[in-house]
Amino acid sequence: MGGSPSFPREALSPERVVIVTGGNTGIGYETAKWIAMLGAHVIIACRSKERALHAISIMEADFQEEKQKGTSGLTSGTLSVEFMELDLSSLKSTLKFVEDFKALGKPLHVLICNAGLGMHPLTYTEDGNELMFQVNYLGHFLVVMKLLPVMYQSGPDCRVVLVSSVAHNWASFDLDKIQARQYNEANFDRAEYYYKSKLYQVMQMYSLNRRIHQSNVVVNCLHPGVVDSEFTRSFRDDCHWTCLYRCAKCTGVSITPYKGAITSIDVAVNRKHEGVRDVYFDKCAPVTPSPESRNQEKQEELWRFSLACLKDYLTEEEVKDLEKT
Ligand SMILES: NC(=O)c1ccc[n+]([C@@H]2O[C@H](COP(=O)([O-])OP(=O)(O)OC[C@H]3O[C@@H](n4cnc5c(N)ncnc54)[C@H](OP(=O)(O)O)[C@@H]3O)[C@@H](O)[C@H]2O)c1
C-alpha cells in the first residue's frame, strides 16, 4: 500500500509545451529536467540568463548520465529546453515575458508556477507590492491570466500547476494586510507573509477553476515537501529559519530537490490527472487544504483585489472573457 511518491516514466510528445518558472535551480530545475527528459519541450522562465543557461548545460550532462544508467522512459531524442527571461518582481518584465512567449506562436499545455522565495525581509517591488506577495502570487496570477487564451487554443488536457506549501495552513486572510503597509522592517513578520503568499495560491486555484471549469484547462496546487534547495538564500540573515532548515537537513527531515519535484512532475504529466481540478496534492496524493483557503467569500475578495493590482496590465476584455468562459 502507498509506497514512495513517484511519477510515471512515460514518454511525452515533443509537441507538448511546458513552462516552468524558476526552472534554473531547486525544485524547478528537477521538474523542468525530468519533464524534458520524458520528451516534452520545456521553457524555463527565469530572471537570470546566466544561471538559466548554466542550468540547461547541467541538465544536458544529467540527461547523458541517466541514459548511461539505462533509466526507463527517457526520450530517444535530444533534450528540448529553452530559456526565457521572467522577473516576477516586476510586472513590466512579467508582461514582456508573456508577450515574448506569445510571439513564438507556440501552444502551451502545462504552466508550472514554481518560482518563489520565502521569509524575505520587508521589501517593496517597483510596482509597490510586498515582494513575496508579488513574486510568489501576483506575478504568476498575471502570467496565468495572460496565457489562458493560448492554453484554450492548445487542445485537450492543459494544466496550470501552482507550487504552494503546507505553510498555507498557518496563514489567515486579511485584505487590509496584504500590502503590509502597517509594518516596518523591525516588526514585519516575514514568515507570516510567506505563509500568506502560499495561501493566496491555493485560493487562486479555486477562484480560477470556478471561472474556467468548462474549459480544457485545469488548475491544481501542491506542497513539494521540505526541500534542501537554494530556498534558504532569502533568509540567511534570519537565525531562526536558517537553523530550522539546517536541523531539517541534519535530521533527514528535508528531501532532495529531485524528491521535492516528484509531486510537481506527477501533477503536470500523469495521465490519470487529466480533467482533475481543485486538488491540493502532497506526496502525489490529494489532501484537504486549510479551511481559510476554501472560504469562497475570501477567495473572491482576493480575486477582486488582485485584479485591482493588475488594472494597468489586464484589459477589460481579458477580464470579461475569463468571467464568461
Ligand atoms: N524548499 C522548500 O522547503 C519548499 C517548501 C514548500 C514550498 N516550496 C516552494 O517551492 C518553490 C520552489 O522553491 P525551491 O525550494 O526550489 O527554492 P530555490 O531553490 O530558491 O528556487 C527558487 C526559484 O525561484 C526563482 N525566483 C526567485 N525570485 C524570482 C523572481 N523575482 N523572478 C523569477 N524567478 C524568481 C529563483 O531564481 P534565481 O535562482 O534567479 O534566484 C529560483 O529559480 C517555491 O515556490 C517555494 O515557495 C519550497
Side-chain angles (χ1 to χ4, degrees), residues 24 27 47 51 87-88 114 194 198 227 229 233 245:
N24 62 283
I27 299 163
R47 59 181 164 171
R51 279 168 68 76
D87 181 353
L88 288 155
N114 162 84
Y194 173 64
K198 296 284 132 182
V227 181
S229 62
R233 279 175 299 173
Y245 263 79

Side-chain angles (χ1 to χ4, degrees), residues 21-29 45-48 51-52 86-90 93-94 113-118 131 134-136 140 163-167 194 197-198 201 222-234 245 254-255 257 260 264:
T21 68
N24 62 283
T25 189
I27 299 163
Y29 170 84
C46 309
R47 59 181 164 171
S48 158
R51 279 168 68 76
L86 166 66
D87 181 353
L88 288 155
S89 70
S90 156
S93 164
T94 306
C113 299
N114 162 84
L117 72 180
L131 182 67
Q134 183 163 335
V135 172
N136 299 359
H140 281 124
V163 181
S164 177
S165 169
V166 68
Y194 173 64
S197 72
K198 296 284 132 182
Q201 291 181 293
L222 62 95
H223 170 57
V226 177
V227 181
D228 182 21
S229 62
E230 292 197 64
F231 191 60
T232 53
R233 279 175 299 173
S234 50
Y245 263 79
S254 57
I255 56 177
S264 293

Side-chain angles (χ1 to χ4, degrees), residues 24-285:
N24 62 283
T25 189
I27 299 163
Y29 170 84
E30 292 293 336
T31 305
K33 181 182 81 180
W34 277 94
I35 294 177
M37 292 202 302
L38 296 176
H41 177 66
V42 177
I43 294 167
I44 56 169
C46 309
R47 59 181 164 171
S48 158
K49 183 174 183 179
E50 199 189 336
R51 279 168 68 76
L53 295 183
H54 178 67
I56 292 173
S57 69
I58 310 279
M59 279 183 202
E60 290 285 355
D62 286 357
F63 179 46
Q64 297 311 323
E65 212 175 283
E66 292 294 340
K67 277 208 286 197
Q68 274 169 11
K69 280 198 277 182
T71 302
S72 61
L74 302 183
T75 176
S76 54
T78 51
L79 215 56
S80 183
V81 185
E82 69 178 302
F83 155 75
M84 290 186 72
E85 190 171 335
L86 166 66
D87 181 353
L88 288 155
S89 70
S90 156
L91 293 177
K92 211 168 128 202
S93 164
T94 306
L95 192 62
K96 169 92 172 43
F97 163 73
V98 167
E99 281 163 2
D100 289 348
F101 176 76
K102 284 184 175 170
L104 297 177
K106 286 188 190 334
L108 177 61
H109 303 99
V110 183
L111 170 58
I112 305 178
C113 299
N114 162 84
L117 72 180
M119 282 65 86
H120 199 281
L122 181 59
T123 304
Y124 291 103
T125 66
E126 64 188 31
D127 305 293
N129 299 306
E130 188 279 317
L131 182 67
M132 292 181 282
F133 166 72
Q134 183 163 335
V135 172
N136 299 359
Y137 166 71
L138 189 71
H140 281 124
F141 185 105
L142 182 58
V143 175
V144 174
M145 292 287 281
K146 290 280 183 189
L147 293 185
L148 270 174
V150 179
M151 298 181 94
Y152 293 151
Q153 301 303 317
S154 299
D157 192 15
C158 291
R159 309 178 185 192
V160 175
V161 180
L162 306 171
V163 181
S164 177
S165 169
V166 68
H168 85 274
N169 283 293
W170 311 319
S172 59
F173 178 76
D174 184 344
L175 195 59
D176 298 331
K177 281 188 166 180
I178 290 185
Q179 298 288 23
R181 296 281 170 210
Q182 303 80 343
Y183 302 105
N184 56 43
E185 274 174 38
N187 64 10
F188 176 67
D189 185 339
R190 36 166 105 179
E192 183 190 348
Y193 272 75
Y194 173 64
Y195 306 160
K196 283 181 185 295
S197 72
K198 296 284 132 182
L199 170 69
Y200 303 150
Q201 291 181 293
V202 185
M203 295 169 83
Q204 179 195 9
M205 168 182 77
Y206 291 114
S207 38
L208 253 179
N209 278 323
R210 211 159 25 247
R211 288 163 171 86
I212 66 171
H213 70 279
Q214 283 175 329
S215 79
N216 59 329
V217 185
V218 297
V219 188
N220 292 297
C221 62
L222 62 95
H223 170 57
V226 177
V227 181
D228 182 21
S229 62
E230 292 197 64
F231 191 60
T232 53
R233 279 175 299 173
S234 50
F235 50 89
R236 261 190 205 133
D237 59 324
D238 182 311
C239 293
H240 173 71
W241 280 100
T242 308
C243 284
L244 276 181
Y245 263 79
R246 272 205 201 124
C247 285
K249 189 174 178 177
C250 295
T251 53
V253 169
S254 57
I255 56 177
T256 62
Y258 165 69
K259 286 193 174 163
I262 288 175
T263 303
S264 293
I265 302 166
D266 187 60
V267 176
V269 308
N270 194 327
R271 290 189 176 95
K272 82 174 184 194
H273 300 314
E274 180 170 357
V276 169
R277 60 175 80 240
D278 273 343
V279 179
Y280 170 77
F281 289 88
D282 186 356
K283 299 189 184 75
C284 300

